[in-house]
Amino acid sequence: MDIAIKKIDESNWRECIKLEVAESQKKFIPSNLYSVAESKFENEMKIFGVYLNDIMIGFASYILDKQGDMNLYKLMIDRGYQQNGYGKRALIILIDIIKNETKNKEIWLSLHPNNFVAINLYCDYGFNQEITGLEEEDEIFFKYNI
């Protein structure tokens, strides 16, 4: 099981937009097509494919926002590859990439409060829920100290 992270570019974006999460997760996360399009307007957003050997099985992105905060924006594994530990392995690699590319000491993310699978993944890795005052009915925040 060899997980790798590779940049999304003109050679692999079509493969990326075919990936989908499980039906029950679609309400929590935008499509990869939306995320790839968004990256063309968010200059600081970096987008990646998650690979199992040579097969793209997921998508990840992060962004240094206008306030200077590093945000893990999206991590998804295609429904056919979920529940195999690939998301956790991809998260470890992605955090290492962010550590090497930034001077930030924190990584932030936001999730829907009912997205228990994602909440468990991030909390198991060491993210902690933070009260920011920006919470909404469909968004809570987590922080990881590098």
Side-chain angles (χ1 to χ4, degrees):
M1 173 172 69
D2 191 23
I3 298 293
I5 304 284
K6 301 176 186 176
K7 289 187 178 180
I8 298 290
D9 59 25
E10 63 277 353
S11 70
N12 61 2
W13 73 271
R14 285 179 181 86
E15 186 179 4
C16 171
I17 65 172
K18 294 177 184 175
L19 302 175
E20 292 185 335
V21 294
E23 195 64 38
S24 63
Q25 298 168 323
K26 287 183 179 181
K27 62 185 169 234
F28 300 132
I29 191 165
S31 71
N32 289 351
L33 177 59
Y34 179 89
S35 297
V36 169
E38 186 177 30
S39 75
K40 299 305 170 194
F41 299 98
E42 294 285 353
N43 294 333
E44 299 299 322
M45 184 179 288
K46 307 220 185 216
I47 59 174
F48 303 91
V50 176
Y51 285 81
L52 173 62
N53 302 315
D54 293 328
I55 301 168
M56 188 185 300
I57 63 163
F59 176 85
S61 63
Y62 64 85
I63 186 169
L64 184 65
D65 69 20
K66 293 175 176 87
Q67 292 76 33
D69 293 325
M70 180 57 67
N71 293 280
L72 181 54
Y73 199 68
K74 182 176 182 179
L75 175 60
M76 66 79 70
I77 300 296
D78 184 77
R79 63 181 174 215
Y81 295 91
Q82 292 181 359
Q83 298 182 339
N84 291 298
Y86 302 141
K88 184 175 250 182
R89 294 200 49 185
L91 178 61
I92 292 167
I93 296 168
L94 194 59
I95 296 291
D96 283 342
I97 291 170
I98 293 171
K99 284 180 185 178
N100 291 324
E101 289 190 5
T102 184
K103 294 177 182 173
N104 291 57
K105 299 295 183 205
E106 303 169 340
I107 301 172
W108 288 87
L109 61 84
S110 66
L111 298 168
H112 192 284
N114 294 334
N115 191 350
F116 302 117
V117 172
I119 290 170
N120 288 335
L121 170 70
Y122 294 117
C123 288
D124 284 350
Y125 187 77
F127 281 81
N128 293 302
Q129 186 173 355
E130 295 284 326
I131 304 301
T132 65
L134 300 173
E135 292 77 14
E136 296 190 17
E137 188 173 302
D138 64 348
E139 185 175 37
I140 55 177
F141 296 90
F142 292 80
K143 179 176 76 170
Y144 177 77
N145 293 311
I146 296 176

